[in-house]
Amino acid sequence: MIAVHSPAWWRATLALCLGSILVFTNLYAPQPLLPELRDVYGVSTLVVSLVMSVATLALAGALLVFGPLSDAIGRGGIMRVTLLLTGLCSLGLALAPSFEVLLALRLVQGFVLGGLPAVAIAWMGDEFDRPALMAAVGLYIGANTLGGIGGRLIGGSIGEIGGAGASFVAIGAVTLVGVMLFWKLLPPPRQFQSRRFELKAALVDLAGHLRHPLLLAAYLLGGLNFLIFINQYSYITFRLADEPFGLSARWLGLIFLTYLGGTLSSAFSGRLARSFSQPACMTLGILVLMTGTLMTLRESLAWIIVGLTINAVGFFLAHSMASSWVGRQAQRARGSASALYLVFYYLGASLGSLWLEPFWQRGGWLGVVIASWLMLSITLGIALWLWRTEWRAEPG
C-alpha cells in the first residue's frame, strides 16, 4: 500500500487532483458564456440553461455506470479514456453548427465527465493506506472547487476576447495537455483485484439505500440545495449581463471567485462537526445560504458578491455535512450509498432551471430569490427533522 507523503503518494495525488481540476473545468466553463450563447443561437434563458443541465444530468447517470464497471475492468483506464474524450468534446463544441448539436455534444461530454469522479476515490481506496487515503481525499475535494472556479474564469476571460468558440478551443487544448500529464503521472495499480459485477446485488443495495429514511433525507437535502445554489449562478449571469450592470463575459467569470467561500467553509466544517451534530451543521448551512440569497436582492454589485460568497459558505457547509452523514448512516455498501448521494446532487443541478425559470420570467431576480427560499424551506425542514431524530436517538 502507498504510504502518506511518499513519492508515490505525491505522484498519484497530483495526478488525481489534476484530473479533478480538468473535469470541473470542462463542466463549468460554459456557465459565464450563457448570455452570449443565448444571443448567438437566439434561444430563451430556459433553453440555453440546458447547456449546463444536460451535462450534469448525464454526469449523474454516468456515476452509476462507471463505478460498477471499474470494479470489473479497472479504474485507471476509465479515467484516462474519459478525460481524453472530455477534451475532444470541448474542441467539438467550438465547431457546433447549431444549438442542437451543441446540446448533443454537452450530453456526451457530461457522460464522459463522470468517469473520473465515479472511480477516483475508489482508486485511492485500493492503493493507499488509511492515513494516505484521508490526506489525499481532502486535497482531491479541494481540487474540485479549484476546477469549477478555473473553468469559469478561463471560459469568461477568453470568451470575451474571442467568443464562445475560442473559449471552448482553449478549454479543450488545456484538457488535452492535462490528460498527457495525467497519463504519465498516475502510477499503475498494484492492489486492484477484479470483481465480478452482479446487477441484482447492486440493485438490491440501491433499493435498500432509498428505503432508508435517514439516507433518503440526506439525498434530498443535498440534491435540492445544489438545485438552488448552482442554478442561482446561471441566472445571476443573466441579471449582471443586462443593465444596469452590463458585465462582460470576463467579469461574469470573475463572479465565480465567490466559490472560495465554499473552500473556506469546507476547511472548517470538520472542526464545527466536533462541537455540534451534523444535522445541526446542515441547519446552520441552509440558514446561511438563505441569508446570502436575500443579500443578493440589493442593486449593488458589491452586495451581490458578498451575498454569493455567503451562499457558498452555507452551501458547502451543508453539503460536506450531508455527504459525510451518508457514509456514517449506511450500514452496508457504503460506496453505492455515497454514489447515490452524488446522483441526487447532480440531478438537482440539472433540474434547477425548470424550477427557477417560471419565477425568473415573472419576477426577474426577485422571483429567483422567492423560488430559492421556497425550496430551501423544504431542505431546512429536512435538516431540522434529522436533527430531531438524532437527538431522540441519543442515549439518556
Side-chain angles (χ1 to χ4, degrees):
M1 303 291 281
I2 296 176
V4 66
H5 297 158
S6 66
W9 181 87
W10 281 112
R11 180 179 169 184
T13 302
L14 178 59
L16 293 170
C17 287
L18 172 61
S20 174
I21 289 171
L22 294 176
V23 165
F24 290 97
T25 294
N26 280 271
L27 180 61
Y28 292 119
Q31 200 162 27
L33 302 172
L34 292 180
E36 179 189 343
L37 293 172
R38 175 191 59 183
D39 297 338
V40 167
Y41 290 104
V43 295
S44 67
T45 52
L46 175 61
V47 172
V48 80
S49 295
L50 292 174
V51 171
M52 300 302 300
S53 298
V54 298
T56 52
L57 182 63
L59 195 158
L63 294 170
L64 294 177
V65 174
F66 287 120
L69 182 63
S70 73
D71 288 335
I73 69 171
R75 315 191 200 283
I78 288 176
M79 291 189 284
R80 290 184 173 98
V81 172
T82 55
L83 283 176
L84 176 61
L85 293 174
T86 292
L88 295 176
C89 283
S90 279
L91 294 178
L93 289 170
L95 303 174
S98 66
F99 189 74
E100 291 76 14
V101 174
L102 186 79
L103 277 187
L105 282 169
R106 278 292 282 175
L107 182 68
V108 173
Q109 186 177 49
F111 185 81
V112 296
L113 280 170
L116 186 135
V119 306
I121 293 180
W123 191 99
M124 296 181 207
D126 291 338
E127 305 298 327
F128 291 167
D129 63 23
R130 182 172 176 78
L133 174 64
M134 299 305 295
V137 167
L139 293 174
Y140 171 78
I141 292 175
N144 295 354
T145 308
L146 293 178
I149 295 171
R152 288 152 171 146
L153 290 177
I154 296 171
S157 299
I158 297 180
E160 181 176 348
I161 298 171
S167 180
F168 290 135
V169 169
I171 294 294
V174 168
T175 301
L176 293 178
V177 172
V179 170
M180 288 189 288
L181 291 173
F182 178 86
W183 207 290
K184 185 174 182 178
L185 284 171
L186 188 69
R190 303 294 185 189
Q191 307 297 326
F192 173 76
Q193 294 181 351
S194 177
R195 294 187 295 274
R196 182 181 176 185
F197 174 65
E198 296 183 2
L199 179 60
K200 183 178 179 180
L203 292 177
V204 168
D205 287 336
L206 291 175
H209 298 325
L210 291 173
R211 287 195 298 267
H212 193 311
L214 297 181
L215 290 179
L216 183 59
Y219 295 156
L220 291 172
L221 186 147
L224 294 178
N225 278 348
F226 199 41
L227 180 152
I228 294 302
F229 174 73
I230 194 64
N231 286 284
Q232 277 187 353
Y233 275 99
S234 293
Y235 283 93
I236 203 70
T237 62
F238 300 134
R239 179 189 181 193
L240 296 178
D242 295 335
E243 297 301 329
F245 301 102
L247 297 187
S248 64
R250 179 182 63 179
W251 291 106
L252 290 176
L254 290 173
I255 291 296
F256 295 97
L257 285 172
T258 56
Y259 247 63
L260 291 173
T263 305
L264 294 175
S265 68
S266 296
F268 70 73
S269 62
R271 295 182 182 179
L272 200 62
R274 287 195 290 269
S275 301
F276 304 96
S277 70
Q278 287 173 305
C281 294
M282 294 180 215
T283 302
L284 175 61
I286 295 167
L287 289 172
V288 171
L289 178 53
M290 295 174 81
T291 301
T293 297
L294 276 183
M295 294 177 67
T296 62
L297 284 171
R298 297 285 297 270
E299 291 296 325
S300 161
L301 183 59
W303 275 101
I304 291 171
I305 291 172
V306 170
L308 292 175
T309 304
I310 291 174
N311 278 359
V313 170
F315 169 76
F316 280 101
L317 174 59
H319 168 48
S320 60
M321 290 298 112
S323 58
S324 59
W325 170 269
V326 168
R328 175 183 162 194
Q329 296 298 323
Q331 300 302 312
R332 53 173 293 172
R334 285 187 172 89
S336 64
S338 297
L340 201 53
Y341 175 84
L342 290 176
V343 170
F344 274 77
Y345 185 78
Y346 287 111
L347 278 175
S350 66
L351 298 175
S353 58
L354 296 178
W355 169 250
L356 295 177
E357 178 68 15
F359 291 89
W360 167 259
Q361 292 295 337
R362 291 181 178 234
W365 184 251
L366 174 61
V368 171
V369 170
I370 292 172
S372 299
W373 261 62
L374 289 173
M375 190 63 73
L376 293 174
S377 296
I378 296 174
T379 63
L380 180 63
I382 293 172
L384 290 171
W385 178 77
L386 288 174
W387 192 358
R388 182 168 174 261
T389 301
E390 184 175 64
W391 177 75
R392 283 186 166 188
E394 289 179 354

